[in-house]
Amino acid sequence: MDLVLTVTNAVGIIAFSVAGSLKAIEKRMDLLGVITLGFWTSLAGGIIADVLLGKFPPSNLTEVQYPAIAIVSSALTFAFFRKVSKLRRPLLYAEALGIGAFTASGASLAYSVDPNPVLVTLVGTITAVGGGVLRDVLANEVPLVLTMDFSATPAIIGSLTYYALAYLGLFREYLTAVVVLLTFALRVAAIRGNWRLPTVAN
Amino acid sequence: MDLVLTVTNAVGIIAFSVAGSLKAIEKRMDLLGVITLGFWTSLAGGIIADVLLGKFPPSNLTEVQYPAIAIVSSALTFAFFRKVSKLRRPLLYAEALGIGAFTASGASLAYSVDPNPVLVTLVGTITAVGGGVLRDVLANEVPLVLTMDFSATPAIIGSLTYYALAYLGLFREYLTAVVVLLTFALRVAAIRGNWRLPTVAN
Amino acid sequence: MDLVLTVTNAVGIIAFSVAGSLKAIEKRMDLLGVITLGFWTSLAGGIIADVLLGKFPPSNLTEVQYPAIAIVSSALTFAFFRKVSKLRRPLLYAEALGIGAFTASGASLAYSVDPNPVLVTLVGTITAVGGGVLRDVLANEVPLVLTMDFSATPAIIGSLTYYALAYLGLFREYLTAVVVLLTFALRVAAIRGNWRLPTVAN
């Protein structure tokens, strides 16, 4: 894994763990619930991707640094809840980096298993947003990404871009970095511009 | 896959996608949510079946026609919501065909992996109703199939019938077609007769 | 599987099935819903563990005695709801035995696949509490284990103990029995002492 992906992936795990922990605290979960929700919010997307691609056990459960980052981040959010809860705006940008990293790593893994555009797009997107969906399901809410959060669309565009560039053999060594940055930029634009997808006016 | 299964499977994917999309619109999801819910409602049952049987990546993610049908059906439901929402009654019958097709394909796949009556019945049933369960979980509702919808029972009977006939070597070439039609007929009878399973009067 | 594990595992499947069925009846599910919720409450933890470890099809779907116990226990709970619902206190202790058995069997299986402390702990814990989480998600509630139920912590301690003792080569033949009893004892102490993990006072 190249340097850009390593760094943004770690930032993403921290940000997603914090977001999951904040949701758990809002739902009055106990310490175990806070760590569990932080853990799955940051790592479930990659675990589901590994399962769909037939990689067992999933690397988010065996490479000790990922669970360690998730658990420590969640425990610190529990301990310093008041301070952390004031960081929601910077947290959104850190999460945006995570969406970029998770999209690139999921798309890259799927491409290496089967260079199929549908598979690459779905696995890249699930890696990026699957953890947030599980967070909301465990918090007994409709997943935010399905109702108003413009974060799956950057992951879809990032994954398709990964597929196209890999297929064309462009950017070889820098491919994951390009996709991380593109996805991140789209998500940041969506946050700043308050982008929304259309809904049916019913 | 024989002709009956191919046709009814496609009808089922369309009908389940439309049903998932209608639920998403009812829950005020955005375009991405509508397509996502349509997608998983129609394809998740088969994906879970493939995962339980150890088939990776699941064929609903790699055989491009299935995701394509699901995405197009969901997008059309979004675009023509008013017209589509008037078709709820015919939609029930199209879904019944899908329950037949999904039961037969799940039972058949499980039988080929391990001719075990419990496995065949569970995988056939999960293939048929798993997508609807995921739809309701993502819509933050108790799954309809667990409370009042008489659609798992036809799938259970269809799967057991598949096992018994395959074990006895009957109907060989026509086996999936027989199971599709039997399951469909049971589901249609349940719709017309407004069949209900008993509940505890508490 | 040694005798202690075999017996406590069967007790656990019965207790978890009854607990799932009672929740289903409380939610006014029909007979199929009651059996389904009993089934997944008792068997989903082990199924998820098998999936994460790459064991297909999961043994809870192929070894006929486990689904049979779950289905019969759930059907009896449906039939004798009034009597069974008076047994909630003894049920808690039977569930505690199940938490012990599921933890030991999950940790043991994970250790045999990859003797990694993180993997062993996570898989042992998921085996013990995953079914209860799925029960609550299907019942459209926030999982009890995340808010107040002190049952994941005994499973975590039991799993870590399994890893440490296996790594040190201690108790060899009696290892699963030691872990079953330790986890059970911790869970019973938590019930009797009404133990709670801290929450954020917000």
Side-chain angles (χ1 to χ4, degrees), chain A residues 20 26 50 54 71 87-88 93 105 113 132 149 151 176 187 194:
Chain A
E26 180 195 310
D50 279 5
I71 291 169
L87 302 174
R88 287 192 186 266
Y93 292 95
S105 67
V113 169
D149 202 22
S151 58
T176 53
R187 175 64 186 138
N194 203 23

Side-chain angles (χ1 to χ4, degrees), chain C residues 52-101:
Chain C
L52 292 174
L53 298 172
K55 281 199 54 179
F56 302 103
S59 45
N60 278 352
L61 298 181
T62 55
E63 298 190 24
V64 177
Q65 71 274 24
Y66 302 140
I69 295 174
I71 291 168
V72 170
S73 304
S74 303
L76 289 173
T77 306
F78 183 88
F80 302 104
F81 167 67
R82 270 162 217 281
K83 285 186 180 161
V84 173
S85 66
K86 285 175 191 152
L87 302 174
R88 287 192 186 265
R89 191 80 189 170
L91 181 63
L92 270 184
Y93 291 96
E95 279 187 275
L97 263 189
I99 290 170

Side-chain angles (χ1 to χ4, degrees), chain A residues 12-196:
Chain A
I13 293 176
I14 295 170
F16 274 62
S17 299
V18 171
S21 302
L22 290 176
K23 173 64 75 181
I25 293 167
E26 180 195 310
K27 289 280 169 169
R28 302 180 178 281
M29 294 184 186
D30 64 16
L31 176 58
L32 184 278
V34 171
I35 291 176
T36 303
L37 220 62
F39 185 93
W40 290 108
T41 303
S42 57
L43 302 181
I47 291 171
I48 298 170
D50 279 5
V51 167
L52 292 175
L53 297 173
K55 281 199 53 181
F56 304 103
S59 45
N60 278 352
L61 297 182
T62 56
E63 297 190 26
V64 177
Q65 71 274 23
Y66 302 139
I69 295 174
I71 291 169
V72 170
S73 303
S74 303
L76 290 173
T77 305
F78 183 88
F80 303 104
F81 168 66
R82 270 163 216 283
K83 286 186 180 163
V84 174
S85 65
K86 285 175 191 150
L87 302 174
R88 287 192 186 266
R89 192 78 188 169
L91 182 63
L92 270 184
Y93 292 95
E95 281 188 274
L97 262 189
I99 290 170
F102 296 177
T103 299
S105 67
S108 155
L109 184 65
Y111 194 92
S112 72
V113 169
D114 179 0
N116 173 319
V118 173
L119 185 72
V120 169
T121 305
L122 286 165
V123 171
T125 307
I126 289 170
T127 309
V129 306
V133 169
L134 186 57
R135 174 196 65 202
D136 295 343
V137 167
L138 291 175
N140 200 20
E141 297 183 348
V142 175
L144 201 60
V145 70
L146 301 180
T147 51
M148 51 183 297
D149 202 22
F150 196 99
S151 58
T153 308
I156 291 169
I157 295 170
S159 301
L160 280 170
T161 304
Y162 186 97
Y163 174 80
L165 296 177
Y167 184 79
L168 297 170
L170 298 173
F171 290 107
R172 297 171 179 279
E173 280 174 63
Y174 307 103
L175 181 49
T176 53
V178 165
V179 170
V180 170
L181 296 175
L182 170 70
T183 310
F184 171 68
L186 283 168
R187 175 64 186 138
V188 166
I191 296 170
R192 292 186 162 267
N194 203 23
W195 293 358
R196 290 279 180 273

Side-chain angles (χ1 to χ4, degrees), chain B residues 20-198:
Chain B
S21 301
L22 289 176
K23 172 65 74 181
I25 293 168
E26 179 194 313
K27 290 278 169 171
R28 301 180 176 280
M29 294 183 186
D30 64 15
L31 175 59
L32 184 277
V34 171
I35 290 175
T36 302
L37 221 63
F39 185 93
W40 291 107
T41 303
S42 58
L43 302 182
I47 291 171
I48 297 169
D50 279 4
V51 167
L52 292 174
L53 297 173
K55 281 199 55 180
F56 302 104
S59 46
N60 278 352
L61 297 181
T62 55
E63 298 190 25
V64 177
Q65 71 275 24
Y66 302 139
I69 295 174
I71 291 169
V72 169
S73 303
S74 303
L76 290 174
T77 305
F78 183 88
F80 301 104
F81 167 68
R82 270 163 218 282
K83 285 186 181 164
V84 173
S85 66
K86 285 175 191 151
L87 303 174
R88 286 191 188 267
R89 192 79 189 171
L91 182 63
L92 271 184
Y93 292 95
E95 281 188 275
L97 261 190
I99 290 170
F102 296 177
T103 298
S105 67
S108 155
L109 185 65
Y111 194 92
S112 72
V113 169
D114 179 0
N116 173 320
V118 173
L119 185 73
V120 169
T121 305
L122 285 165
V123 171
T125 307
I126 289 169
T127 308
V129 305
V133 169
L134 185 58
R135 174 197 64 203
D136 294 344
V137 167
L138 291 175
N140 199 23
E141 298 183 349
V142 175
L144 201 62
V145 69
L146 301 180
T147 51
M148 51 183 296
D149 202 23
F150 197 98
S151 58
T153 308
I156 292 170
I157 295 171
S159 301
L160 281 170
T161 304
Y162 185 97
Y163 174 80
L165 296 178
Y167 184 80
L168 297 170
L170 299 173
F171 290 106
R172 298 171 180 280
E173 279 174 65
Y174 307 102
L175 181 49
T176 54
V178 166
V179 170
V180 170
L181 295 176
L182 170 69
T183 309
F184 170 68
L186 282 167
R187 175 63 186 140
V188 166
I191 295 170
R192 293 186 162 264
N194 203 23
W195 292 359
R196 291 281 179 272
L197 285 173

